[in-house]
Structures are given as C-alpha cells and as structure tokens.
Amino acid sequence: MLRYPKGAGPKVLIGWQATPNADWESLSGEDKDHVRAAILRDQGRLCAYCQRRIPTRDEQMKVEHWQAQSGGKDKLRWSNLLGVCLGDERAESGAPKGELHCDTSRGNAALFLHPVDGSGPSPREHLKYTSQGQVLPRDTPQQDVIGGDIKALNLNAVRLRRERRVVYEALWDRLEKAGWTPKALRDEYEATRIEPGVRAVPQCEVVRYHVVKWARKRDVEL
C-alpha cells in the first residue's frame, strides 16, 4: 500500500462538495476527468493499494473511496478519493480465471490503514514485505486489524506476490552489482519518493522497506 502526500484538490470538486447528497456519480464526465488527472498526478500513476502501474487508459483505472460511499459522510472529500487498478485479473488480462484484489475484493469493508499522509495510520508503520513477495502485518498491537486490511484487499493475490518478488530480486541484483555501497542504497531510497506529476517506481514501498532494512544492518544513514 502506498503512503503519499496529496496535493491540492481540483477546483471542480469544490462546488460538488457543497452540493447536498452529491457523490461520484453526480459529477459530469469532464469533471471526473479532472479529478482522475489530479489523483494520478499525486500517486505517480500507481494503484494506491497494490502499487502497480495504472495504465493511461481511463477504463483501466477506478476512483476508490477509502471511506465507502455507503458511509454517507464526506463522499467527495479529497483525501477520501484514491486511484486504484481494476483489481480483476480476468478483466485486465482476458484470462478465463483470475483473482480479485484491491477495492474490487474489498467491497465496502472498513479499512484501518490509509495511503494518504496525515489521514490515518501509515502502512509504512504496520506492513512488512518478504523476499517471496508476501505482505504481512508487523508485530504491533494492531496486527490483527492490519491482517484484516490485507485480507480485505487480497494483497497477497498470486500475481501481486509474483510482482513484488520480481521487484525484490531485481533490487537485490542491482545492489549486489553496486557492492552495497552507501551511495547505491541512498540512490535506491531516493528513487522510491512519490513526487507530483512524476511517474513513480512500481512497488516503491516494497523497495523502500527492504532498502531501509539493509541500510540499518550496514549502519548507513539514508
């Protein structure tokens, strides 16, 4: 799951936020395009939950409500709107079988972790990633509820684990070739930052987690 700072919301949202009972479906197609563009700008074109690249085609992106619209309040609050992938392996690939994940798996289940800075518990403090691509709860008092988030979003779907494992192995190879130097570790760490308007590195939080862990073992300050 990402953790990133949200920039200013698009101006088109202001009027809709003041409109009683307005929700995502109330917006015009053009207004939705403005919101999608701002969301993708802030997230570096990555899915807020699984950290995969969101394709440029609108039909391959969904606007997710962290607090489900059925919750009623603040349906169009800017920090509540996230960009996510389709979360449907069959729909994306055309395969006859496939798992659901991200908001497609979640439905309206409540979540504890929040991808947006300042809007709830940070995934960075509560998630860890294995060399085999699994995402697991850290050993904290909240680990049971974190496990609930992972299960609701199905973040350990086979293809998500596979992608994270590939990223881990490529990261290890790059650092091995670079000799695990402080500069190499810092460069990898810097590359995980999400900056507005810049295409972020897929699985950036996976890379960040492992780089931080390896840097600590080597007493390298990032």
Side-chain angles (χ1 to χ4, degrees), residues 23 56-57 61 96 102 108 116 125 151 161 168 179-180 197:
D23 58 15
T56 55
R57 303 183 303 280
M61 173 195 174
C102 298
N108 289 331
V116 178
E125 297 175 4
K151 182 177 180 180
R161 295 201 314 268
Y168 172 90
W180 298 90

Side-chain angles (χ1 to χ4, degrees), residues 10-200:
K11 293 180 180 179
V12 296
L13 268 185
I14 296 174
W16 288 109
Q17 289 167 337
T19 303
N21 301 316
D23 58 15
W24 176 250
E25 297 308 319
S26 304
L27 274 66
S28 68
E30 185 177 356
D31 287 351
K32 286 180 179 178
D33 288 343
H34 285 297
V35 175
R36 288 190 189 99
I39 288 172
L40 291 174
R41 172 203 69 199
D42 288 349
Q43 292 180 197
R45 297 203 68 91
L46 300 183
C47 174
Y49 293 144
C50 72
Q51 307 176 59
R52 294 187 307 143
R53 174 77 65 217
I54 293 177
T56 55
R57 303 183 303 280
D58 285 345
E59 65 269 19
Q60 295 293 312
M61 173 195 174
K62 296 167 68 177
V63 173
E64 154 77 333
H65 298 73
W66 183 85
Q67 181 182 45
Q69 289 201 80
S70 59
K73 186 179 179 182
D74 296 331
K75 294 178 181 178
L76 294 176
R77 188 175 70 251
W78 179 228
S79 63
N80 195 49
L81 302 179
L82 308 172
V84 297
C85 66
L86 292 185
D88 186 334
E89 189 172 359
R90 289 172 296 179
E92 289 182 29
S93 67
K97 297 183 185 178
E99 293 180 277
L100 303 180
H101 53 80
C102 298
D103 84 304
T104 305
S105 167
R106 170 201 177 189
N108 289 331
L111 296 177
F112 178 73
L113 300 177
H114 203 302
V116 178
D117 276 348
S119 295
S122 171
R124 290 178 182 169
E125 297 175 4
H126 294 281
L127 297 178
K128 60 183 179 180
Y129 302 91
T130 74
S131 61
Q132 295 303 306
Q134 279 188 298
V135 55
L136 301 169
R138 293 192 190 225
D139 186 13
T140 69
Q142 295 83 19
Q143 63 182 3
D144 288 342
V145 71
I146 305 305
D149 279 13
I150 294 171
K151 182 177 180 180
L153 296 168
N154 195 20
L155 292 180
N156 281 316
V158 172
R159 69 170 174 168
L160 301 185
R161 295 201 314 268
R162 184 188 304 121
E163 181 169 327
R164 289 192 290 261
R165 185 174 68 248
V166 169
V167 167
Y168 172 90
E169 291 172 352
L171 173 64
W172 177 278
D173 287 344
R174 290 196 302 272
L175 288 169
E176 186 75 11
K177 290 177 181 176
W180 298 90
T181 64
K183 180 182 184 306
L185 287 162
R186 291 184 187 120
D187 286 348
E188 293 287 353
Y189 181 80
E190 286 298 317
T192 67
R193 297 187 186 279
I194 296 181
E195 300 179 16
V198 179
R199 288 166 69 91

Side-chain angles (χ1 to χ4, degrees), residues 3 48 55 68 133 145 159 176 205 212 219:
R3 185 69 169 180
V145 71
R159 69 170 174 168
E176 186 75 11
E205 291 296 332
V212 168
D219 292 324

